[in-house]
Amino acid sequence: MDIASNIRLVLAELPKDVKLVAISKTKTVEEILRAYQAGQRIFGENKVQELVSKYEQLPKDIEWHLVGHLQTNKVKYIAPFVHMIHSVDSMLLLKEIDKQAKKHNRIISCLLEVYIAKEETKFGLSDQEIYELIESPYFTESNNVRIVGLMGMATFTDNNDQIRHEFQHLAMLFKKLKESKFADNPEFKEISMGMSSDFLIAVEEGSTMVRVGSKIFGERNYNPDH
Ligand SMILES: *Cc1c(COP(=O)(O)O)cnc(C)c1O
């Protein structure tokens, strides 16, 4: 299957109001252009250097999302253009995004990454750490970041019940925050969950944004960093 058909197949399975973030990490500019020509405008990368390089080479109406772990010292490279950062997992990182966004006179949309998997390798915050971050005095002072929701990654497993439970957990936490801390904030509306192998389950559990890579671009060559 070619990239354009893959995109149409994925879109056909998504409700109209669920956004598709095409995860293009390790893929070439030519491959991304094929998706672009099929109408896709939202792309996600997990490495800062790769994201910057692709941003420079590709059409400027692409919305770039950073989905991988972000080091504070690298925020400055993406702050001029990044549309959304899915992986905010500390107050320190949020403060740095705020500072760099301010320099460019921008407001950067961010998702708080919640640790929902039963694996030690996944990044993210526990429910309690999410509350601590939101209740921190720095949080309300960060005027150049806009917290638009939560992101989570399920355990890499064939056990669909477990994956579903993890997504339910994320959706429940989102609902609780929406009704309390973000009750007056209509911008808090996104749940980024679901990848190639589990996005249908994620959508059933309330995902508003799926991050799909290999189902669009084909399998990635093995690389422990990707
Ligand atoms: C790679 C990646 C994806 C996409 O994974 P696929 O299984 O290829 O769809 C989604 N989210 C994050 C954070 C990723 O790093």
Side-chain angles (χ1 to χ4, degrees), residues 4-15:
S5 322
N6 291 342
I7 287 190
R8 279 191 287 274
L9 284 176
V10 172
L11 285 176
E13 293 189 292
L14 292 180

Side-chain angles (χ1 to χ4, degrees), residues 14-20 190 203 207-209:
L14 292 180
K16 285 275 170 288
D17 52 349
V18 174
K19 289 193 241 347
L20 172 61
E190 306 291 358
V203 166
S207 171
T208 65
M209 203 176 252

Side-chain angles (χ1 to χ4, degrees), residues 163-178:
I163 293 171
R164 188 179 295 281
H165 277 119
E166 292 172 0
F167 287 152
Q168 282 169 349
H169 178 111
L170 186 62
M172 188 61 80
L173 177 63
F174 173 85
K175 186 166 177 279
K176 275 195 245 162
L177 290 171
K178 180 88 197 146

Side-chain angles (χ1 to χ4, degrees), residues 46-68:
N46 71 338
K47 294 261 188 299
V48 164
Q49 218 184 346
E50 200 174 332
L51 175 58
V52 170
S53 154
K54 287 172 176 171
Y55 163 74
E56 285 167 355
Q57 297 174 69
L58 283 155
K60 294 297 170 284
D61 61 340
I62 288 177
E63 234 184 56
W64 287 104
H65 291 212
L66 194 279
V67 300

Side-chain angles (χ1 to χ4, degrees), residues 21-25 44-46 66-69 86-87 113 151-153 156 192 194-199 210-220 225-226:
V21 183
I23 304 297
S24 48
K25 61 192 185 194
E45 292 281 336
N46 71 338
L66 194 279
V67 300
H69 183 65
H86 287 232
S87 41
E113 182 169 355
M151 180 271 222
M153 281 171 92
F156 185 70
S192 166
M195 316 193 346
S196 291
S197 57
D198 57 22
F199 74 88
V210 295
R211 310 179 309 271
V212 178
S214 43
K215 223 178 163 165
I216 292 173
F217 294 104
E219 293 301 321
R220 289 177 292 276
D225 287 339
H226 284 101

